[in-house]
Amino acid sequence: MTAITNHMPTAELQALDHAHHMHPFSMQSGFEKKGARVITRAQGVWLTDSEGEQILDAMAGLWCVNIGYGRNELADVAARQMRELPYYNTFFQTTHVPAIALASKLAELAPDTLNTVFFASGGSEANDTNIRVVRQYWSILGKPEKKIIISRKNAYHGSSMGSASLGGMAGMHAQGGMPIPDIHHIGQPNWWAEGGNMSPHDFGLARARELETAIAELGEANVAAFIAEPIQGAGGVIVPPDSYWPEVKRICDAHDILLIADEVICGFGRTGNWFGSQTIDIQPDIMTIAKGLSSGYQPIGGSMLSDKIASVVGTDEFNHGYTYSGHPVASVVALENLRILEEEGIVDQVRDQTGPYLKSKWEALTDHPLVGEAKISGMMGSLALTPHKESRAAFASDPGTVGFVGRNHCFANNLIMRHVGDRMIISPPLVISKEEIDTLIERVWKSLDQTHESLKDQGLMKAAS
Ligand SMILES: *Cc1c(COP(=O)(O)O)cnc(C)c1O
């Protein structure tokens, strides 16, 4: 077999990819007509594909490349670690310096008493750990029946059986017998789509109070925890009304349940603070971390436990672990990523400079005829597309039809922006400069104009009745 390299013609790479590689969240047969885009290299916020196109990556890969592409420091520490100790496990009372150093650094950065980390290879594994941690916690305290975890519809917590069950994606639950038992879902705080005639303030309160209702119905004695992303990411960058989180916090404090903040996207600067919990002012008992922890340069995640949780769960043998928990190469890469985020002041830059700059331009997109709502927190933003702003109407076409048209125009304009249903979303690398933000916004306007024309041509500018 000939070597497969960047120099192979794109069509040949695409044919091999299609023959042998099954992609996540894709329909395999869909690639036949048009092959997958082949990404060959990247620098800063820019991707290069096999045709030599320069593409602005406004999704930071999958929400993860917080420090941008091409930081050789991470490659250097990885190579050094691979030569010195490429692998050792952290089972059976064994440890190594990279895991010790990363755990200590995370304890320093994380808020409050979140001082202990259980490592995983990503967010899904970490959320599976969380299911076991909260149930084990209550069991050790003599309350084994306290095991239901309340989550939210349209939440994303990962794709393993446990984490996808925590998640509220109906399309995922429909395949493979999910959710697993003892997971309960309440409504999400998506005012644009679900707020009806309520004000955002009242709707935020109402959705928070669904938690209190659920606790009452299920019985406080049976509920272990509530899990939520501070700001829902994959569900469409749903920034909740300001009234939502203070009310959730009140409810969690009033009832004896644990709060898990899934910080996989919000953590490590995305919302302009180190953690989304700080942006929304909550004190979680457990935080899920992954993605931006290593800026995606290595697969690593974890569960950060407060002293309250760690001190209880630590009193019994925890029959749980992953071969790659605390992997030394992933750990040194994460540590180097955290050093760069901290020493280069990247989180402060998002909060004080580039974040506010992007926010003003992003919110001005509501001047576009297709954009009903423009939401943003730090470096994660969304646009609700609508055929009729005043009534906040959805399109008559199947949800996602219009978003897909929009996304294709973005791709054609060398801009990676995703759609979730008919919402368009961005989550660029945190290091994006003001000039690059200008380019991003120009391409969004152009893509929206073209989308508007396409919708008119295809007779899709119709509101659902
Ligand atoms: C991506 C994501 C996960 C899952 O992480 P993986 O590393 O893909 O397993 C969990 N929670 C949230 C909020 C995510 O965005």
Side-chain angles (χ1 to χ4, degrees):
M1 189 175 178
T2 51
I4 296 171
T5 70
N6 278 353
H7 303 296
M8 232 184 196
T10 302
E12 283 178 40
L13 290 169
Q14 288 170 331
L16 286 167
D17 181 72
H18 182 258
H20 304 297
H21 179 195
M22 185 161 169
H23 289 249
F25 289 96
S26 302
M27 180 165 70
Q28 190 71 356
S29 58
F31 287 103
E32 276 158 6
K33 266 191 270 137
K34 188 175 180 301
R37 192 165 211 171
V38 183
I39 304 298
T40 52
R41 48 195 315 118
Q43 184 66 39
V45 302
W46 297 95
L47 306 171
T48 306
D49 73 7
S50 54
E51 299 291 286
E53 295 289 339
Q54 298 285 307
I55 306 153
L56 177 54
D57 183 9
M59 284 307 299
L62 277 179
W63 323 80
C64 53
V65 189
N66 288 10
I67 62 167
Y69 298 93
R71 293 298 301 246
N72 289 332
E73 300 93 321
L74 275 64
D76 293 343
V77 296
R80 213 178 303 140
Q81 186 59 43
M82 279 202 192
R83 292 196 176 94
E84 193 173 306
L85 180 69
Y87 174 76
Y88 203 74
N89 69 73
T90 52
F91 288 30
F92 318 127
Q93 285 213 327
T94 311
T95 192
H96 47 66
V97 175
I100 300 169
L102 180 58
S104 307
K105 185 68 200 176
L106 285 168
E108 183 193 311
L109 289 173
D112 307 311
T113 67
L114 293 150
N115 287 318
T116 306
V117 60
F118 188 99
F119 286 116
S121 302
S124 304
E125 283 185 2
N127 277 324
D128 275 23
T129 298
N130 290 338
I131 296 174
R132 299 165 71 126
V133 165
V134 298
R135 290 181 178 166
Q136 175 72 348
Y137 172 84
W138 290 116
S139 176
I140 291 174
L141 291 179
K143 298 178 179 174
E145 67 291 346
K146 234 172 135 54
K147 59 181 187 229
I148 299 174
I149 302 174
I150 300 176
S151 179
R152 305 183 296 182
K153 293 173 188 155
N154 201 36
Y156 189 79
H157 296 300
S159 197
S160 59
M161 287 296 284
S163 62
S165 295
L166 287 177
M169 300 281 174
M172 293 175 79
H173 290 177
Q175 297 175 341
M178 288 176 279
I180 58 171
D182 295 317
I183 312 273
H184 181 86
H185 295 90
I186 59 174
Q188 58 174 339
N190 181 350
W191 175 77
W192 176 266
E194 300 174 3
N197 294 327
M198 291 174 121
S199 68
H201 178 86
D202 289 349
F203 178 72
L205 287 179
R207 279 291 150 103
R209 286 174 190 157
E210 285 189 20
L211 176 59
E212 197 153 45
T213 307
I215 294 169
E217 281 170 9
L218 298 163
E220 188 174 315
N222 301 315
V223 178
F226 174 58
I227 182 168
E229 303 151 83
I231 293 164
Q232 282 163 268
V237 185
I238 312 296
V239 181
D242 289 342
S243 58
Y244 180 76
W245 274 109
E247 184 65 1
V248 169
K249 187 175 158 184
R250 180 193 67 72
I251 293 164
C252 288
D253 289 346
H255 301 276
D256 198 17
I257 64 166
L258 303 175
L259 176 57
I260 308 169
D262 186 337
E263 294 268 6
V264 171
I265 287 175
C266 294
F268 307 103
R270 172 92 16 225
T271 67
N273 288 297
W274 274 92
F275 296 95
S277 296
Q278 295 160 326
T279 301
I280 60 167
D281 190 26
I282 58 166
Q283 282 84 41
D285 298 292
I286 299 174
M287 280 190 335
T288 321
I289 55 174
K291 294 194 172 122
L293 167 57
S294 65
S295 282
Y297 282 58
Q298 282 284 291
I300 185 168
S303 305
M304 293 222 58
L305 311 179
S306 66
D307 295 343
K308 168 176 136 179
I309 306 295
S311 63
V312 171
V313 175
T315 61
D316 193 4
E317 179 157 337
F318 191 35
N319 297 321
H320 173 60
Y322 303 111
T323 300
Y324 299 132
S325 285
H327 191 286
V329 178
S331 294
V332 294
V333 168
L335 208 51
E336 185 64 7
N337 171 61
L338 298 178
R339 184 192 67 73
I340 288 173
L341 278 174
E342 196 170 30
E343 285 183 12
E344 297 182 7
I346 292 169
V347 181
D348 295 346
Q349 189 182 305
V350 170
R351 190 191 54 219
D352 302 330
Q353 292 172 38
T354 48
Y357 186 76
L358 174 61
K359 184 179 162 83
S360 68
K361 305 213 158 199
W362 192 254
E363 289 177 344
L365 287 164
T366 50
D367 291 341
H368 193 278
L370 273 184
V371 177
E373 162 181 89
K375 288 293 203 178
I376 188 156
S377 174
M379 286 287 158
M380 58 195 293
S382 57
L383 305 173
L385 304 188
T386 179
H388 190 249
K389 298 189 193 205
E390 289 67 32
S391 60
R392 308 208 309 278
F395 288 93
S397 46
D398 286 344
T401 309
V402 167
F404 187 67
V405 172
R407 196 212 52 184
N408 287 345
H409 282 299
C410 292
F411 277 19
N413 290 318
N414 281 345
L415 169 68
I416 305 268
M417 170 148 133
R418 265 173 63 186
H419 76 105
V420 175
D422 296 329
R423 277 182 100 83
M424 306 297 299
I425 57 176
I426 57 161
S427 170
L430 306 187
V431 294
I432 191 169
S433 67
K434 288 185 178 171
E435 292 76 30
E436 287 162 341
I437 289 173
D438 291 343
T439 305
L440 164 69
I441 295 290
E442 266 166 40
R443 291 187 187 183
V444 173
W445 273 101
K446 182 173 172 200
S447 303
L448 286 171
D449 285 343
Q450 292 169 337
T451 302
H452 197 194
E453 288 309 310
S454 296
L455 296 182
K456 284 191 267 186
D457 290 348
Q458 296 170 35
L460 287 170
M461 278 303 286
K462 285 198 199 88
S465 47

